[in-house]
Amino acid sequence: MIPSHLASLEDGDPLDARLARAHGAVPERGGLGPALTSPHTRTLLLLPLGLALGPSGMNLLSPPVLSFIDPLVSVALAAIGVLLGLALDVRRAAATAAAAAAAVDAGLTVLIVGAGALLVHLLWLTPGDIPWFAAMVVAICAVPSLSPATGATEPHALRLVHVGDLNSILAILVGAGALAGHRAASLPDAALLTGSGALVALALAAAGWLLVVHPASDRERHAFVAGTLLLLAGAAAYLGQSALLMGLVAGVFWGEAGGPAGDRIARDVRYVQHPLVVLLLLVAGAHLTLGLDTLALAVVVFLCRSAAKLVSAAGFDQAAPALRGRVTSDELLAPGIVGLALAVNVLQTGGDHARVAVLLSAVAVGILATDLMLITLGRQGARR
Amino acid sequence: VRRLAAVALVVGAMLAIRQLAGAPSEAPGTALALGFVLVVALVTGDLLRRFHLPRLTGYLLFGLLVGPYLGNFITEPMARQLQAVNGIATTIIAFIAGLTLNLERLGRRVPGVVTMTLVTVGVAMAGLFAIAWVAWPALPVAPGAGGLAKAIMIALAVVVVVSFSPTMTAAVITETNARGRMSDLVLGLVVLADLIVLVLFSLLMQFARAELGEGGTAEASVLVRLAWEIGGAAAFGSLVGSLFGLYVRYVAREVTLVLLVVALLLSQVGVAQQFEPLIAAMAAGVVIANATTAQGDALKIAIQGAALPVLIVFFVGVGASLQLELLATAGFVAAGLCAVRMGLIRAGVTIGLKVSGTERMRGGLIWTGLISQAGITLGLASALAAEFPTWGAQVQTLLVALIAIDELIGPALFRIGLARAGEIDAHAERSLVVVSNREPYVHTYAADGHITCAPATGGVAVALDALMRERGGVWIAHGAGTADRALVDATDKLAVPPESPAYQLRRLWLAHDEFCAYYNGFANEGLWPLCHQVDVRPKFRSSDWAAYRAVNAQFAAAIDQELPSSDTPVFIQDYHLAVVTPYLRERRPAAATALFWHIPWPYPDRLRICPWRREILAGLLANDLLAFQVERDLRNFLRAVEEELGAEVEADGSSVRFDGRATMAIAVPIGVDYDRIQAVVRGAGLLGAQRALADRFALHAPIVGLGVDRLDYTKGIPERLEALDRVFTARPELRGQLTFVQVGVPSRSEIESYSAIEAEIDRMVAAVNGRHGVPGQPLPVHYHKGALDLTSLVAMYRLARFCVVSSLHDGMNLVAKEFVAARDDEDGVLVLSALAGAAQELDEALIINPYDISGFAEAILRAVDMPPAERRARMRAMRRVVAGRDVFSWATDILEGLESLWTRPLQYAARAPEDAPV
């Protein structure tokens, strides 16, 4: 559900925790409670729920309501980016086997899914859709749930976390490039646009760092962190850029700037990430359109991605001897939220809404199918 | 400087963003505007506070400056997008206001509030009507009108002029965290008054339509519409509140999102159905707060904690919407009208107070809460203008100018009123007096003659030290260090912490014999075994009791000397100081004191062992607030005061009346310094410390167990060793595969019972190792007698597969929580005694009865064999509990309880199973 590096940070809804501590307030939960707390079943529950509540269903999440909560979706995307950036150890990541492993996994997945999707592309898309197509491929290839069950203190577990980090970041970078490419007239323009956005994110991150490093109170710190997240998300939305990238840049800055600010921001973002992610899933669900083309694309996504991951698992032994025999294919198969987030980000930034909704739907259905497959195979225990 | 630099960066980024997007942009700007508003308004508000101006004035001014009417920094499209968010903010504020309304507390005062509201509104309307009648020719409305038409026009205008702003009132109360009778009264009054205004306005409009020749519907339909708007809103809000309350009670998942949905429902659906959203939101809050008390309290605390952004958005939105240009045209008349309105409201409140016969105390400040005007007034003025375009538009212009003035001065005035009434959280800034036996900084002479300073390392001491650094004040404690006297000034004080002094440490000098009798004797040979249900007989000597009282009296005298004023909170720590407060009351009858009893409280039969139990009980009841770790202890205490003193315990067990005074009694479980442990966990030195410990303790076995305790007979260490013996006997294959590290910190060794337990543990460790040790293999038990520093302790926690806490009786036991806090890898199993307070919070530990050795051994084996997924699931659940309630929130909760004694006691206690031992 949540990327591996975020998984251990996922603390649940903040109000739930507060209420659970009230004297006798919350009895043993039954019914819906456990399903909502399990990251594994949450996708299976919330995406269809979003679909049922959305315009294709009961229309409670009608287009005006979706438009109203759109800023929150941007904030959710920025928050995911921030947490990824904070989790990334820039200086050490490259030195580990993780880089090689990530490259193998990402490379193989992109290659195989890309080949499969190309077939669909030739049949279905027009040349103008290529940036979207690229974004979709990258989104599908995000591998964010590499969280082994053996505990993150063991060296191979830490390396797996790095693989997850690097693959998610690769997805975000390529996705952001694709978005900029769609908006800009030329490649240099796209690079300039992305660079400008990253600089804005850096400036906002620096401001946030200055504000959070010595707050007068916890309440004030929460407000500053919320404000900075909103600024990052708002800047991305205003400029039509990737909120994930904006958040990622800020997260890397805070992680590398040192001092207590990074920890404080991570703690506060973690505090709100859970409801934001639930919201993201519901919104993604509400945007789903189920048609023949969606299902066709989803089948390609599912089959190609699964095949790619199985091949990747074998490739790990060669690329990363430190991980030899320790990565199972279901650890690689487990889908995560970064792919979905990227697809939602693409949807947010405009373009042909119907086409993008099909792309998002294909990603979502692919994720659901993978989750179902893992459950059916009884392998969820090996996941997070 | 740092903040200004941050603001400069944000402003620069905003300019760059607008430049990059190209102007004018219709791009989605809600999030950007919200972020900008939050960050910059907060800094602006803080800046103004340094000039002794209220923060909310800063937010309003900021809104004014950046809004479309002045700076245009928030562009018109952005402002439009913000409007919808402001609607949600308004609903949440009203919802919070509803959560704060305790009907039970307000119930007795309802007749008084109704009378006061009627009189206040009546006086203000009558006065305004009379003045307007006389001044009519000079007013820029309809100077030519006369007779009945003039009367109707004036009456309508007067009703709108008198209207208030419940949202603004609630927002100010929430922003200032005000609590008290005045806040309650003003909120009730403005809500009631606006209901009266709405009814009057509707009736008058109906009359005006008929009399001023524009026709109208039948009166019955007006009443039906009103009933729908007000009654329907209350019913809708109650329904939504009830459903939300049920959801919180029975599902309690994703509450943040559901709360947002509720706010959206109340603000959007309510409006669509012609409901008054404010009333609906407040009704929802009232239902949750009063029908589901525990959830209401928890929800209120949680929402209030995160309310600052909502409030900032609300106030900035109000500031940005002020139409300043109208001040230029109707400013003078509006200013005059504002002054007259203010004077009449004040007069109305004064008369209302007399007539209602309530709230005489500080009632003179209530009028400050009735000046603000906002949405309701604006809405009524618009309705007037729409219905009567000629003279109504003139009235609207005047009213909008009046609202602009009232919005600017009203909140600031109300804040001043609340501050003078002593109801806002200015007390959070007030200094504090902490009293404990042990001092936070001990100075000792090193071997080379230099003086070294050792800060206290216990979780409580660290938390209180942090609190004192923030608030300042005096910490009074026994000076036990060899070099303590060398550093104090003539008043026995020195500024601490040494690196950045923030508060005063007052050292108290106790004679050696007196200290021995007070501390070793009465406190540790008497009270400690009395309160812990173990097989050690308490020893009560009258000489020890005399010393105990004498030392407590000395502490009381020191408090009296250091207490700047009687409303400065005094926070007394633990069983060493049970009778300080009666002595303090002799000198300072009105002192505000709280005492935290860290250890268990015995059941009444056991308490009878103590010859001076009544004096101790009465001494504790001399405090304003008394806090225990868990409900079990609180229950035992309440039974004891009933049986021994005949004290009157309130039905809900929250308060005790004895000797003419009331004491609030609560259970507030203590937590650990979670952040500090996280810092160690993330620190660069942790891996090194783990390696060093593994080498030092020869931890070569694949499975490591851990116990960390003071060497105390209450900790159940012999039982633990017996269980380990049973484990190695039952599963011989674990020999060499499992090493149990027992860290034992010698304590109170001069007391016989303590030296005896030390000797017994030594003997048992040797016996277990002798029986189960395999030559060349790791030892079954590694015994480390001595303390570990925090980094080593955390490293040890991380090395352990499982940690055992087997107390025979314990108030809380922080080792259990420290172990959980240290395991951010979400691994490790906690084996926890049911007789430790922590067991009432940490359900996911393996709960044991330390007296049942077989069951204990089985639990250890279960911990050894537990699959990783189960370990992770259990640890994850426990980490939520421990992270959510750290030692700082513990201290804050007690102080907040002390500082708001008029409120219903907060219910923080952990669950207390019915079969928990008493």
Side-chain angles (χ1 to χ4, degrees), chain B residues 87-100:
Chain B
I88 302 280
T90 306
T91 309
I92 292 176
I93 289 166
F95 184 68
I96 293 173
L99 282 174
T100 60

Side-chain angles (χ1 to χ4, degrees), chain A residues 39-372:
Chain A
H40 183 61
T41 50
R42 205 179 294 138
T43 322
L44 286 171
L45 195 67
L46 293 175
L47 278 175
L49 181 64
L51 180 65
L53 296 174
S56 313
M58 289 183 273
N59 202 28
L60 284 177
L61 287 176
S62 60
V65 173
L66 288 171
S67 165
F68 184 75
I69 54 180
D70 204 40
L72 277 179
V73 175
S74 298
V75 172
L77 297 172
I80 289 172
V82 164
L83 287 172
L84 276 167
L86 280 166
L88 186 69
D89 190 335
V90 171
R91 282 168 292 220
R92 274 190 298 174
T96 64
V104 168
D105 182 42
L108 283 170
T109 312
V110 170
L111 192 70
I112 296 174
V113 179
L118 191 64
L119 288 174
V120 179
H121 166 69
L122 292 173
L123 299 171
W124 183 64
L125 296 177
T126 58
D129 290 322
I130 284 174
W132 305 113
F133 178 72
M136 180 206 69
V137 170
V138 174
I140 294 160
C141 297
V143 189
S145 288
L146 278 169
S147 184
T150 42
T153 50
E154 295 172 26
H156 93 274
L158 289 170
R159 289 193 189 102
L160 281 180
V161 168
H162 282 142
V163 176
D165 289 344
L166 293 171
N167 271 359
S168 299
I169 285 157
L170 178 73
I172 290 172
L173 290 176
V174 178
L179 284 178
H182 177 70
R183 291 179 65 86
S186 64
L187 200 61
D189 282 354
L192 191 67
L193 200 63
T194 310
S196 313
L199 278 178
V200 167
L202 270 179
L204 294 174
W209 188 87
L210 286 166
L211 292 168
V212 172
V213 76
H214 285 302
S217 66
D218 282 355
R219 284 179 82 196
E220 191 184 84
R221 191 192 73 219
H222 298 326
F224 280 140
V225 172
T228 310
L229 261 187
L230 280 162
L231 278 169
L232 288 165
Y238 206 72
L239 296 173
Q241 294 207 12
S242 166
L244 283 163
L245 178 70
M246 294 287 228
L248 179 71
V249 170
V252 171
F253 175 87
W254 288 326
E256 295 301 306
D263 286 343
R264 287 182 182 145
I265 291 167
R267 188 186 169 100
D268 285 359
V269 175
R270 226 161 47 209
Y271 199 68
V272 294
Q273 74 154 357
H274 178 89
L276 288 175
V277 165
V278 171
L279 183 79
L280 186 70
L281 286 168
L282 286 173
V283 168
H287 282 295
L288 295 186
T289 55
L290 297 179
L292 270 180
D293 44 0
T294 303
L295 290 175
L297 202 55
V299 167
V300 173
V301 166
F302 170 67
L303 290 178
C304 292
R305 185 177 180 278
S306 301
K309 293 300 174 188
L310 292 172
V311 175
S312 283
F316 261 53
D317 286 356
Q318 304 302 320
L323 299 174
R324 184 167 294 151
R326 313 197 74 160
V327 179
T328 56
S329 54
D330 51 355
E331 279 173 333
L332 292 175
L333 268 171
I337 205 165
V338 172
L340 203 64
L342 195 51
V344 170
N345 205 173
V346 172
L347 188 75
Q348 266 195 323
T349 44
D352 180 347
H353 186 275
R355 283 286 169 85
V356 181
V358 169
L359 298 183
L360 170 68
S361 305
V363 174
V365 174
I367 285 175
L368 288 174
T370 313
D371 263 333
L372 276 172

Side-chain angles (χ1 to χ4, degrees), chain B residues 50-108:
Chain B
R50 288 162 198 251
F51 296 101
H52 305 289
L53 282 168
R55 262 186 303 216
L56 45 88
T57 304
Y59 305 151
L60 281 166
L61 288 177
F62 173 76
L64 199 63
L65 281 173
V66 301
Y69 294 102
L70 275 184
N72 198 29
F73 215 82
I74 293 177
T75 60
E76 193 65 45
M78 283 181 180
R80 274 201 310 274
Q81 290 163 11
L82 270 182
Q83 280 302 317
V85 180
N86 222 338
I88 302 280
T90 306
T91 309
I92 292 176
I93 289 166
F95 184 68
I96 293 173
L99 282 174
T100 60
L101 278 180
N102 181 349
L103 293 182
E104 191 187 336
R105 199 170 65 227
L106 209 58
R108 294 187 297 274

